[in-house]
């Protein structure tokens, strides 16, 4: 069959049954049975679990099993009837020594709650409780019910009656349910409705931040952040830790990723039962941990995704990202089982599902499934094509299909800025695959519509400096720009940015050719330059480049200042707003640190690349070659082999001018694998 073995493993599989040690203070709150003339209150069956979890989110002598974890063990869907045996089994798997089940009965305008709290092992006497009143008094009814059940327990709990109005809580609970099911746009709408009822409802605002992030709804995200921050005093300590992580510890100012990582680490310590927190920590570690010098970032992320899945086996995001981590690491351990789980849920966020199926098929060696997905590339969503053009290229797999994806993207773009953007991605693919002649011709074809004066010249210089580009063409551009560039005076921001970028590149070019005098000239001009927040090149880019040129000069002259200057450049990279220049900066930093004998520093710098993102992998082939060499020197043979194998795969069809370089790396790889 066309879909091959990949489709054959799409049979649903449940996680292995786990029986944890029973915690006598942990309560598994089962979904309530709802008896009403219509279905309008069905949401409360699951919702009361969330309400009691909020109530017990404090200094109570008992605590609630995370709702997502328990509902995942139950395989719960709204309206589902939970038997006593199934409830007990789920409670024991969650490690709960207590189980609470109950019912909600509607009678006229009123409701009656009844519940029983009993030991999971059947020992001791069950405790029964009831509370009746109007639907609008639901928060206080839940308080009364819980107070009866927990009578005699030490500690106090936050009253739900102080949380918000019944209508706001109803929308909040519907939003929680929608978020659990992965219906993020619906969740945003529900949380918005709750906040219209009560704009001080900080918990609804906090929950909406996560849903808005998943729904890519920037407006809702901004509103929710402002309200959650304004009324943060109403959150529990756990909620406040989660809010600090979502907003960044320097909110309303921006926080560096290092500070964000620290905030999410604090959040999982404060809220170890929140699956979303473990996922968010892992997400940042996976994608950008390496760019911030976090050792073994992808492996750490993998562990956190597994923890999130333990808390909520139905949560598709950590499963999806666990697959991304394993594919990046080329780790096929239990990959087939994870693929079964993913295919059974078949709900990758956004429109990436086609790419994930294609990528899994490659990893599992299912050529029929790969061919099936390739044949329907013209029907793939844009997001899936973006992932194929970016992440697959970074992983150095399916490179022929990457070219097909780029061709389809060009066809859809038709003309204008979108077409130019896709052609620039093809330019990156050509250089990664060792075809500088074709890349040069493509840059030349784009010169007539360049976004700013001198773009094509600078692009050719950058390609030659950092990406095995055409050095003859670049040398001609260097001469032309050296003759026309003048020291900057106060002028238009874009003109200042272009001059600063030009000075940076010409300074680095001079150093690469051993022309120290000219490099000092460009350095003096860069130091005198002032640039605003231009996208072409900003002032942090300028400062980082000036320090690198200074460090390069110091290392050439044997001066002791090189290490201090490189440390300063690193601090700018981490703490400031270096934009499109950071990849080039880290390549130069790695080379300079190696030159001054700082191998650990060189290894850190060469590892600063984002992972598992649909970005165009700029300078990827250069990074892979240098990673292999430096990681091998540092004794990390496994990582070196992975990088060199990807480099050789990328350069399989290189132009003749780049084949000798490829073959030397191939020989190095063969020796390593043989060893």
């Amino acid at each position: 069959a066309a879909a091959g073995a990949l489709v054959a493993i799409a049979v649903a599989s449940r996680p292995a049954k786990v029986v944890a040690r029973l915690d006598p203070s942990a309560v598994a709150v089962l979904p309530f049975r709802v008896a009403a003339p219509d279905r309008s209150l069905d949401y409360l069956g699951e919702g009361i679990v969330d309400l009691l979890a909020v109530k017990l989110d404090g200094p109570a002598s008992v605590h609630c099993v995370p709702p997502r974890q328990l509902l995942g063990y139950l395989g719960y869907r709204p309206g589902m009837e939970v038997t006593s045996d199934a409830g007990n089994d789920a409670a024991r798997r969650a490690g709960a020594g207590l189980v609470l089940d109950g019912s909600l009965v509607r009678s006229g305008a009123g409701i009656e709650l009844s519940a029983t709290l009993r030991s999971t092992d059947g020992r001791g006497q069950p405790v029964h409780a009831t509370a009746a009143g109007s639907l609008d008094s639901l928060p206080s009814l839940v308080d009364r019910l819980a107070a009866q059940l927990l009578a005699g327990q030490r500690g106090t709990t936050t009253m739900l009656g102080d949380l918000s109005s019944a209508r706001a809580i109803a929308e909040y609970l519907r939003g929680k349910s929608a978020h659990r099911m992965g219906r993020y746009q619906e969740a945003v709408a529900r949380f918005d409705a709750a906040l219209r009822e009560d704009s001080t409802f900080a918990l609804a605002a906090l929950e909406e931040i996560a849903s808005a992030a998943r729904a890519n709804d920037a407006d809702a995200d901004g509103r929710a952040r402002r309200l959650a921050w304004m009324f943060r005093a109403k959150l529990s300590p756990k909620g406040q830790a989660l809010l600090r992580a979502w907003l960044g510890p320097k909110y309303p100012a921006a926080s560096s990723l290092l500070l964000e990582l620290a905030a999410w680490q604090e959040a999982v310590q404060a809220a170890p039962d929140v699956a979303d927190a473990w996922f968010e920590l892992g997400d940042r570690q996976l994608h950008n941990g390496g760019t911030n010098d976090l050792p073994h970032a992808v492996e750490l992320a993998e562990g956190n995704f597994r923890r999130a899945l333990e808390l909520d086996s139905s949560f598709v995001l950590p499963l999806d990202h666990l697959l991304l981590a394993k594919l990046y690491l080329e780790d096929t351990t239990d990959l087939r089982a994870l693929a079964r789980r993913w295919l059974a849920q078949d709900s990758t966020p956004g429109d990436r599902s086609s790419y994930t199926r294609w990528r899994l098929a490659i990893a599992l060696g299912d050529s029929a499934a790969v061919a099936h997905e390739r044949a329907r590339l013209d029907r793939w969503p844009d997001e899936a094509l973006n992932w194929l053009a970016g992440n697959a290229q970074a992983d150095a797999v399916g490179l022929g299909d990457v070219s097909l994806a780029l061709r389809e993207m060009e066809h859809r773009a038709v003309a204008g800025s979108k077409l130019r953007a896709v052609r620039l991605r093809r330019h990156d693919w050509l250089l990664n695959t060792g075809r500088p002649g074709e890349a040069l011709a493509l840059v030349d074809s784009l010169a007539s519509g360049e976004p700013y004066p001198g773009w094509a010249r600078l692009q050719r210089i950058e390609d030659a400096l950092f990406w095995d580009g055409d050095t003859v063409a670049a040398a001609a551009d260097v001469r032309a720009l050296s003759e026309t560039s003048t020291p900057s005076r106060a002028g238009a921001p874009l003109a200042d940015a272009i001059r600063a970028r030009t000075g940076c590149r010409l300074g680095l070019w001079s150093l690469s050719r051993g022309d120290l005098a000219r490099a000092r000239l460009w350095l003096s001009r860069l130091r005198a330059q002032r640039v605003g927040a231009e996208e072409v090149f900003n002032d942090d880019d300028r400062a980082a480049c000036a320090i690198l040129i200074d460090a390069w000069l110091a290392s050439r002259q044997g001066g002791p200042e090189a290490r201090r200057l490189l440390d300063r450049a690193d601090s700018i990279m981490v703490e400031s707003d270096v934009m499109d220049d950071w990849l080039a900066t880290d390549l130069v930093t790695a080379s300079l640190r190696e030159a001054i004998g700082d191998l650990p520093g060189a290894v850190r710098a060469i590892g600063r690349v984002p992972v598992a993102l649909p970005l165009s992998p700029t300078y990827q082939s250069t990074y892979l070659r240098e990673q292999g060499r430096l990681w091998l020197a540092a004794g990390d043979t496994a990582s070196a082999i992975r990088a060199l194998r990807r480099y050789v795969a990328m350069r399989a069809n290189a132009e003749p001018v780049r084949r000798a370089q490829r073959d030397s790396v191939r020989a190095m790889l063969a020796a390593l694998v043989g060893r």
Side-chain angles (χ1 to χ4, degrees):
L6 189 65
V7 171
I9 65 171
V11 179
S13 64
R14 294 178 63 85
K17 184 173 180 177
V18 177
V19 179
R21 183 180 64 84
L22 299 184
D23 180 351
S25 64
V27 183
V29 182
L30 303 179
F32 273 40
R33 298 175 295 279
V34 177
D38 57 40
R39 307 295 301 273
S40 62
L41 297 184
D42 280 1
Y43 72 93
L44 286 174
E46 176 184 347
I48 287 178
V49 181
D50 289 311
L51 290 180
L52 287 169
V54 173
K55 180 174 179 59
L56 298 174
D57 183 15
S61 56
V62 297
H63 60 276
C64 191
V65 168
R68 289 178 73 146
Q69 182 183 27
L70 186 69
L71 296 175
Y73 286 152
L74 288 167
Y76 184 78
R77 293 294 181 270
M80 171 180 155
E81 193 75 28
V82 178
T83 67
S84 178
D85 287 345
N88 260 6
D89 182 56
R92 291 178 65 84
R93 289 179 66 192
L98 299 168
V99 62
L100 189 160
D101 59 8
S103 64
L104 180 153
V105 178
R106 183 165 191 170
S107 177
I111 58 172
E112 179 176 344
L113 301 178
S114 61
T116 300
L117 180 66
R118 51 190 168 77
S119 172
T120 311
D121 59 15
R123 298 176 183 175
Q125 291 297 315
V127 178
H128 305 285
T130 61
S134 68
L135 182 58
D136 286 344
S137 65
L138 176 65
S140 61
L141 294 182
V142 174
D143 278 333
R144 284 162 49 194
L145 190 75
Q148 293 176 54
L149 293 170
L150 301 179
Q153 295 282 347
R154 296 186 302 276
T156 60
T157 58
T158 302
M159 291 292 100
L160 286 173
D162 296 334
L163 190 62
S164 189
S165 70
R167 290 182 180 179
I169 285 179
E171 294 294 351
Y172 164 77
L173 294 177
R174 290 186 175 108
K176 288 277 288 183
S177 179
H179 182 90
R180 258 195 292 268
M181 300 298 292
R183 301 195 301 266
Y184 301 120
Q185 291 178 332
E186 179 187 341
V188 167
R190 293 296 188 183
F191 291 134
D192 268 345
L195 291 165
R196 284 195 298 272
E197 291 287 337
D198 179 4
S199 62
T200 73
F201 195 174
L203 189 57
L206 174 62
E207 299 282 1
E208 185 173 3
I209 295 171
S211 296
R214 313 272 160 77
N216 293 317
D217 190 334
D219 291 339
D221 180 73
R223 288 194 305 272
R225 286 169 183 262
R226 288 190 295 273
L227 288 174
W229 176 254
M230 190 179 303
F231 300 106
R232 61 192 181 279
K234 299 185 71 172
L235 294 170
S236 68
K238 179 191 294 186
Q240 291 184 14
L242 290 168
L243 181 63
R244 280 194 301 275
W246 272 115
L247 300 184
K250 294 176 68 176
Y251 185 85
S255 298
S256 69
L257 187 71
L258 275 179
L259 290 176
E260 287 185 19
L261 281 167
W264 278 109
Q265 193 66 59
E266 293 172 4
V268 297
Q269 292 169 358
D273 57 348
V274 177
D276 290 83
W278 290 100
F279 167 74
E280 294 297 337
L281 174 60
D283 183 64
R284 285 154 181 78
Q285 291 169 334
L286 171 67
H287 296 312
N288 293 110
T291 65
N292 284 263
D293 297 343
L294 181 65
H296 308 295
V298 180
E299 291 87 345
L300 288 173
E302 184 179 353
N304 290 327
F305 296 144
R306 290 188 183 277
R307 178 58 182 148
L309 285 170
E310 289 171 5
L311 291 168
D312 181 3
S313 61
S314 66
F315 190 6
V316 71
L317 280 167
L319 175 58
D320 169 80
H321 279 52
L322 178 58
L323 285 172
L324 289 176
K326 291 182 74 66
L327 291 168
Y328 172 79
L329 293 171
E330 299 177 4
D331 178 6
T332 57
T333 308
D334 70 0
L335 182 62
R336 192 170 294 273
L338 288 169
R340 275 198 296 271
R341 287 180 65 181
W342 181 87
L343 288 163
Q345 291 173 295
D346 194 20
S347 53
T348 291
D351 292 321
R352 186 161 33 96
S353 181
S354 299
Y355 166 75
T356 306
R357 288 175 177 273
W358 174 89
R359 186 66 182 87
L360 282 172
I362 286 183
L364 295 170
D366 187 350
S367 58
V370 174
H372 174 74
E373 290 298 337
R374 180 186 302 126
R376 52 182 296 275
L377 268 180
D378 61 340
R379 298 189 294 279
W380 277 27
D382 290 348
E383 184 177 351
L385 289 172
N386 263 314
W387 275 85
L388 178 50
N391 195 52
Q393 186 182 167
D395 286 353
V397 297
L399 293 173
D401 289 349
V402 170
S403 181
L404 294 176
L406 288 168
R407 185 184 305 167
E408 176 62 24
M409 292 165 69
E410 288 173 335
H411 174 71
R412 295 183 191 184
V414 181
S417 59
K418 288 184 67 175
L419 179 59
R420 179 186 181 84
V422 177
R423 286 182 174 165
L424 285 173
R425 296 192 73 165
R426 182 172 289 281
H427 157 269
D428 293 358
W429 177 75
L430 289 169
L431 285 172
N432 276 330
T433 54
R435 291 146 79 178
E438 292 182 55
L440 179 63
L442 183 55
V443 170
D444 291 346
S445 74
L446 294 170
S448 60
E450 58 185 10
Y452 56 84
W455 169 85
R457 291 188 186 281
L458 283 173
Q459 186 66 61
R460 289 187 288 260
I461 294 170
E462 290 165 5
D463 291 350
L465 273 171
F466 309 119
W467 218 348
D468 300 329
D470 190 302
T471 55
V472 175
D477 289 317
V478 167
R479 288 192 296 273
L481 289 174
S482 297
E483 293 168 1
T484 58
S485 293
T486 57
S488 176
R489 298 179 178 83
L494 177 59
D496 290 341
I498 295 169
R499 276 191 288 269
R501 187 179 193 120
T502 301
C504 172
R505 296 306 186 252
L506 296 184
L508 294 172
W509 180 273
S510 299
L511 284 166
S512 72
R513 269 39 186 184
D515 189 344
L516 305 190
R518 188 164 289 274
R520 291 191 191 94
L521 171 65
W522 293 116
L523 174 60
S524 66
R525 292 184 179 182
L526 267 178
R527 284 172 170 165
Q529 180 80 56
R530 286 295 176 267
V531 186
E534 274 295 320
E535 292 186 12
V536 169
F537 202 72
N538 68 19
D539 202 54
D540 289 325
D541 292 325
R542 178 202 60 80
C545 186
I547 291 172
L548 284 182
I549 293 174
D550 207 359
W552 197 333
L553 285 166
S555 67
R556 282 295 187 91
Q557 297 170 323
E561 290 295 296
R563 189 183 295 260
R564 182 187 65 80
L565 290 166
L566 289 171
D567 289 343
R568 174 60 185 143
D570 276 350
S571 70
I572 292 177
M573 295 285 292
V574 170
E575 298 168 7
S576 303
D577 189 27
V578 175
M579 301 190 322
D580 66 335
D581 231 39
W582 64 273
L583 281 165
T585 301
D586 281 326
L587 279 176
V588 176
T589 298
S591 176
L592 292 181
R593 286 197 181 276
E594 183 186 21
I596 63 174
D598 180 10
L599 182 59
V603 168
R604 284 197 307 274
I606 205 63
R608 292 173 186 154
V609 290
V611 170
L613 287 171
L615 306 173
S616 191
T618 305
Y619 308 143
Q620 178 74 3
S621 57
T622 308
Y623 265 91
L624 288 173
R625 187 178 65 241
E626 293 303 292
Q627 284 172 345
R629 190 176 60 78
L630 289 169
W631 284 340
L632 182 61
D636 188 352
T637 305
S639 295
I641 288 174
R642 184 173 67 238
L644 295 176
R645 183 184 291 125
R646 290 180 176 181
Y647 174 84
V648 169
M650 267 191 165
R651 293 292 174 95
N653 297 310
E655 292 175 353
V657 70
R658 291 290 167 242
R659 287 176 190 167
Q661 184 185 60
R662 177 203 62 196
D663 291 344
S664 68
V665 174
R666 180 181 287 162
M668 181 193 307
L669 176 62
L672 283 174
V673 173
R675 188 194 311 169

